[in-house]
Amino acid sequence: MRISVLGTGTVGRTVAGRAGDLGHEVAIGTRDPQATLARTDTDMMGNPPFGAWHADHPEIALLRFADAAARGELIVNATSGTNSLEVLALAGAENLKGKVLIDIANPLDFSAGFPPTLFVKDTDSLAEQIQRAFPEARVVKTLNTLNATVMVDPATLAGGDHSIFVSGDDAAAKATATDLLRGFGWRDIIDLGDLSTARGPEMLLPIWLRLMTALGTPAFNFKIVR
Ligand code: NAP
C-alpha cells in the first residue's frame, strides 16, 4: 500500500521505517523538505537530525505535506498535536478525501513546561476535531498511548502480550488500520467504538507521562487483563 506519514519526528520516522520494512511504499511529509534535510541539531530527546535518519532510508520519499498526502492511499498523522490541524490543512482536504487517516497525535500543551496539559479533553478530542475539520477523511485514532519503538514492534516488550486501542466512526477504515497494526505485530487490538471513544486514550497521556517519570523509561505499555 502507498502510505504517507505526515511528520518528521521520532514517531513519523519510526512508523515510516517499519511500514517500509513491511513492503509498503512510504513517503514522509514535512513543511519544507530542503529545510528539513538541512537541519543539523539533535532534538530535545537527543535524536539525530532528520537527514541522518533519511540517509539510512533513502527509499522513503521526503515530500511537502500536500504532495505526500496526494500520493498516499493511507495517511498517518504523526505531527505535534498543537499543529495537527494546521498540518492537515497544508496537506489539503482534497488529498485526504475518502482516505483512512490514522491519527497518532496527542493533544499536549507544553507551553507551561512539563508535565504538559491536555488542550482538549472530557467532552471532545483531537481526533474528533480532526474529523470535524476534514469530514471526508476516515479518521482512526490509534497508537497514541505508546512509545514510538513499541508502537511498531510490540514484541520488544513482554513478547507482545499487551494492548492497543482503536477508535473510529468508519468500520472499514478501522479494519484497514487494524491490518496495519497486525502487520506491526499487534495481537490484543481493542476496538473501543466510535471516534468519541478516542477521548479515553488521549486522556491516558497524563498517567502515561507520570509512569514514564516513575519508571525512568518510555518502554512500557498497558495490558488489559480480562
Ligand atoms: P513532534 O515533534 O511532536 O512533531 C513533529 C512534526 O510536527 C514535524 O513534522 C513538524 O513539521 C511538525 N510541526 C512542528 N511545528 C509545526 C508548526 N509550527 N507548523 C506545522 N508543523 C509543525 O514529533 P513526535 O515526537 O514524533 O510526535 C508526533 C506526534 O505523536 C505528537 O502528537 C506526539 O504527542 C505523538 N506521540 C508521540 C510519541 C513518542 O514516542 N514521541 C508517542 C505517542 C504519541 P516539519 O517536518 O516541517 O518540521
Side-chain angles (χ1 to χ4, degrees):
M1 193 180 347
R2 284 197 311 280
I3 297 178
S4 287
V5 180
L6 308 180
T8 55
T10 309
V11 175
R13 296 178 203 184
T14 306
V15 170
R18 176 81 158 130
D21 289 346
L22 290 171
H24 296 290
E25 199 182 314
V26 183
I28 288 198
T30 189
R31 282 168 287 187
D32 178 343
Q34 280 190 330
T36 300
L37 284 172
R39 288 176 191 154
T40 53
D41 293 342
T42 53
D43 70 12
M44 276 191 324
M45 305 297 285
N47 295 306
F50 184 86
W53 177 85
H54 196 243
D56 291 333
H57 299 82
E59 73 288 355
I60 295 180
L62 179 67
L63 303 171
R64 287 185 189 279
F65 285 126
D67 296 330
R71 181 167 133 162
E73 298 167 282
L74 182 152
I75 313 296
V76 177
N77 174 32
T79 61
S80 44
T82 44
N83 298 302
S84 289
L85 287 168
E86 185 185 334
V87 166
L88 291 166
L90 290 172
E94 67 283 5
N95 294 324
L96 303 174
K97 187 177 175 178
K99 296 179 182 175
V100 177
L101 172 57
I102 293 181
D103 175 35
I104 306 180
N106 278 309
L108 299 178
D109 176 358
F110 286 92
S111 60
F114 192 91
T117 54
L118 297 171
F119 65 75
V120 57
K121 63 186 174 76
D122 295 326
T123 55
D124 199 3
S125 61
L126 178 59
E128 290 166 278
Q129 290 183 342
I130 290 171
Q131 185 67 83
R132 286 197 299 276
F134 302 94
E136 292 182 298
R138 301 155 69 207
V139 178
V140 179
K141 188 87 194 189
T142 189
L143 293 175
N144 66 302
T145 54
L146 297 146
N147 162 253
T149 308
V150 184
M151 275 180 206
V152 301
D153 193 2
T156 58
L157 282 180
D161 183 19
H162 43 102
S163 311
I164 188 82
F165 311 107
V166 292
S167 302
D169 292 335
D170 183 315
K174 276 195 288 197
T176 299
T178 298
D179 281 349
L180 186 65
L181 295 175
R182 289 198 198 290
F184 289 166
W186 285 100
R187 298 197 301 274
D188 189 25
I189 302 167
I190 302 176
D191 184 348
L192 293 174
D194 69 21
L195 198 59
S196 71
T197 66
R199 296 170 196 176
E202 290 187 4
M203 289 192 290
L204 273 180
L205 263 291
I207 179 66
W208 190 94
L209 289 160
R210 268 67 172 192
L211 282 165
M212 181 178 70
T213 303
L215 300 173
T217 174
F220 62 88
N221 188 25
F222 301 102
K223 174 179 171 178
I224 307 305
V225 179
R226 68 276 201 198

